[in-house]
Amino acid sequence: MRFIDEAVVTVKAGDGGNGIASFRREKYVPRGGPDGGDGGSGGDVYVIASDNTNTLVDYRYTRRYDAMRGENGHSRNCSGKGSDEILLPVPIGTTIIDTETDEVIGDLIEIDQKILVAKGGDGGLGNTHFKSSTNQAPRKATSGFEGELKVLKFELKVVADVGLVGLPNAGKSTFIRQVSAATPKVADYPFTTLVPNLGVVDIGRHRSFVMADIPGLIEGASEGAGLGIRFLKHVARTRRLLHLVDIKPIDGSDPVHNAKVIFNELERFSPELANLPQILVLNKIDQVIDESELNELCTHIVAELGWTGIVFRTSTLTGEGVDAVKYHLMNEIERERERELEDPIFADAQKERFERLEVEVRRNTEAQREAYRAARKAQREGIDLDDDSDDDDHDVEVVYVP
């Protein structure tokens, strides 16, 4: 299957049916008068959040959706039939944007949440409406109104409370497998994960939260290196960032430098995103057998980073320390949810923060895409590229085997 998190579609609501000019014709009823009916309303177009899909791939193949127009009016004061609405199902977490105005029409974050995106046209009026004492036989009827035509952009962002970030091979996929039923691919080479993975972390009766494993960032990602920041927007809805650092990288790299790479890329991509509450997880402690050496290494990493926040030590391979992380996250998230319910001011501040984050992430993602296209254009003008490399569409489709 394909994981598609962006799609542009054209939607056209149905036009209204025309009203008609008609006169009553019955035996023994002279001068029956006007009896033209109104036209029916055109069909509306709605977008609805569905839990039966987790990708926008269908909208890459069918890019236009038209609702039916309303029926024309009939004689004997019979109105035309209105057309049925059409529903476009999208995954939960989809944002709908009007490409012409760049306005966010809606954000679908709950199952069966439905948003009107194109209003059908009203039906025209039959000549019955134009009868008066001075105009007993009006021959005037009006046409139906046109339905709305819009070009929409669907942006899917996974709905998660916690986002996992870290360099490739830091152990994020193994971590989410430990704490949830998610089964992302795990291997001993970088970029094993090519699409975001969601997992529900179940703590106990009626206690759970959603965690998202975001494909690994690398140095220069904010400028398009590697997978770039293509999937970084998926952490825009999270309450916490869980930053996993491999304390003993297999390539011999410096874990302090690796951690700073992630900090820098988050800051360069979105300062608002970098300000989300973060928890540092020093992972793969099973690779250091000596306890004193482990303590020294972890202390060194924390000191060099100047980290003053919360730190955990884990081994996602053995599961050591993982429970402590998930219980801490659950407690933090529950406290935040309760405060939002009890404190309207805090709830409004949270809402404004996420709205700012959404805007910033969207703007920066589009800016990077435009910069990439400009660079490709300049490259084509200076170098004669073959046809296979001439495609400047940066909307990459990632194919994976689940």
Side-chain angles (χ1 to χ4, degrees), residues 42-311:
D44 300 328
V45 181
Y46 287 87
V47 179
I48 186 169
S50 170
D51 60 349
N52 292 326
T53 180
N54 57 7
T55 177
L56 296 171
V57 66
D58 290 342
Y59 299 104
R60 284 299 182 92
Y61 299 108
T62 305
R63 295 175 179 264
R64 182 175 177 113
Y65 297 86
D66 292 69
M68 298 293 291
R69 72 186 302 275
E71 280 188 358
N72 294 334
H74 303 283
S75 59
R76 299 186 181 181
N77 291 316
C78 293
S79 298
K81 180 182 178 181
S83 293
D84 294 333
E85 64 187 30
I86 61 173
L87 299 176
L88 305 182
V90 296
I92 299 169
T94 300
T95 300
I96 308 165
I97 303 165
D98 187 329
T99 59
E100 183 177 353
T101 63
D102 205 31
E103 174 192 3
V104 176
I105 297 177
D107 217 3
L108 300 173
I109 58 175
E110 297 178 358
I111 296 176
D112 294 332
Q113 184 180 352
K114 188 168 70 170
I115 292 179
L116 175 67
V117 294
K119 175 67 176 173
D122 292 330
L125 300 178
N127 64 337
T128 304
H129 291 274
F130 301 99
K131 181 177 67 173
S132 68
S133 60
T134 58
N135 187 5
Q136 299 276 328
R139 286 172 169 76
K140 178 181 179 182
T142 61
S143 301
F145 292 89
E146 290 188 356
E148 292 182 321
L149 173 67
K150 290 185 179 180
V151 180
L152 305 175
K153 182 178 183 181
F154 295 158
E155 287 187 353
L156 171 61
K157 299 182 185 70
V158 297
V159 181
D161 299 295
V162 178
L164 283 174
V165 296
L167 285 182
N169 233 29
K172 301 186 300 300
S173 296
T174 308
F175 186 92
I176 201 170
R177 289 173 72 107
Q178 282 277 4
V179 300
S180 73
T183 56
K185 185 178 179 180
V186 175
D188 59 352
Y189 54 83
F191 294 109
T192 310
T193 304
L194 295 178
V195 297
N197 289 293
L198 280 179
V200 177
V201 182
D202 191 0
I203 302 299
R205 187 175 179 84
H206 305 307
R207 300 186 73 202
S208 64
F209 62 90
V210 180
M211 182 177 290
D213 168 22
I214 306 301
L217 298 172
I218 63 171
E219 193 165 9
S222 59
E223 298 174 357
L227 292 175
I229 45 76
R230 173 170 173 76
F231 297 117
L232 195 56
K233 64 187 176 185
H234 290 284
V235 299
R237 300 179 189 271
T238 61
R239 298 174 181 270
R240 297 287 186 278
L241 293 180
L242 203 60
H243 183 180
L244 264 67
V245 178
D246 184 352
I247 65 170
K248 203 79 169 177
I250 194 171
D251 60 0
S253 58
D254 181 11
V256 175
H257 171 76
N258 294 344
K260 288 182 178 179
V261 164
I262 299 300
F263 292 141
N264 292 338
E265 293 304 322
L266 288 174
E267 182 67 35
R268 293 178 66 180
F269 173 65
S270 167
E272 192 74 37
L273 183 61
N275 286 332
L276 282 176
Q278 294 189 43
I279 297 171
L280 186 66
V281 177
L282 303 179
N283 192 32
K284 301 189 180 181
I285 60 175
D286 55 282
Q287 297 188 17
V288 182
I289 299 176
D290 185 75
E291 188 69 26
S292 60
E293 181 185 353
L294 176 62
N295 290 332
E296 183 178 343
L297 178 58
C298 292
T299 302
H300 169 75
I301 294 173
V302 172
E304 288 296 309
L305 291 175
W307 185 262
T308 57
I310 299 171
V311 182

Side-chain angles (χ1 to χ4, degrees), residues 369 372-373 376-377 380 389-395:
R369 181 175 293 126
Y372 172 84
R373 288 171 175 163
R376 289 298 303 274
K377 182 179 179 181
R380 288 196 306 276
S389 58
D390 195 45
D391 183 9
D392 65 347
D393 186 5
H394 193 44
D395 293 334

